[in-house]
Amino acid sequence: MTKQSDLNTMEKEGDNNTEEMIPELATTSEGFVARYNGPSWEDMTAEQRNMEHEIVQSRPRTGMAGPFGPWLAVPSIAGPSQALGKACRYDTSLSMRESELVILLTGARHYCHTEFDLHQGEALLAGIPPEIIQAIPRDDHFSMAQVEQSVIPLLLVSSSSSSGDDDCIQSDIAIVRFASELLETSTVTDETYASTKAILGGQDSKLVEITSIIGYYTYCAYTLNVFHIPSKKPS
């Protein structure tokens, strides 16, 4: 079963039931007032209206929340952006848990409160404990050292308390270290590359996926930050 089908199954069980299973975590972006949230329905071209319909159909829980409103102003950007987002979010070999760890780290590094807020619930659904989400250093506090100090020990505790698969936890830790280094330094050392590749089964393609997720969600973060998009779903 793919990540997309996993999420679709949860959605079919009902938004209310799903919401009840997710603990509330503090958010900081719901009150943002957007500088620009894309064209109004009245001002949209037929192409933009069709594209908005496709986006909403493909994202039944979140709809146009996030960067899609501003992107829709330029359909030639919105279409490929949506396709790249789907590929990075649902079509990689990473688990939802691994993907969400990477996305949260990206939002945290780029001062993107909206991205972080939107993905807290997704991370909880993917099985990431709330204490790990809350431990991720954000904004000026983000650094490789702080991630190592605050997040890695909790991943190890989570593993021991839940009798988790040790290989999975080691993968989580390797991915978190790789992502935090790339986000802080804009590259990774030969040592980090080699050790992460080894832990992830010797596949360079895994590192392509992690790097692509970080790149795409950095793009999302910049869009959300520039246009001051709130995490609250548009009505």
Side-chain angles (χ1 to χ4, degrees), residues 3 24 35-37 46-47 50 58 66 82 90 98 102 104 107 109 127 140 146 163 178 182 187 189 198 216:
K3 286 182 282 187
E24 287 288 331
R35 291 169 172 165
Y36 176 65
N37 207 5
E47 180 184 16
N50 288 336
S58 68
Q82 181 192 10
Y90 301 117
E98 292 167 339
V102 173
L104 287 175
R109 171 64 180 88
D140 288 338
Q146 194 58 51
S163 300
F178 181 98
L182 178 54
T187 189
T189 64
Y216 174 75

Side-chain angles (χ1 to χ4, degrees), residues 132-173:
I132 291 177
I133 297 170
Q134 293 168 325
I136 293 173
R138 299 173 63 177
D139 304 342
D140 288 338
H141 301 290
F142 187 93
S143 69
M144 294 164 55
Q146 194 58 51
V147 169
E148 189 72 29
Q149 178 180 326
S150 301
V151 179
I152 300 301
L154 290 178
L155 287 171
L156 291 169
V157 169
S158 173
S159 170
S160 60
S161 63
S162 63
S163 300
D165 186 327
D166 184 62
D167 287 343
C168 290
I169 295 303
Q170 291 307 313
S171 294
D172 286 352
I173 291 171

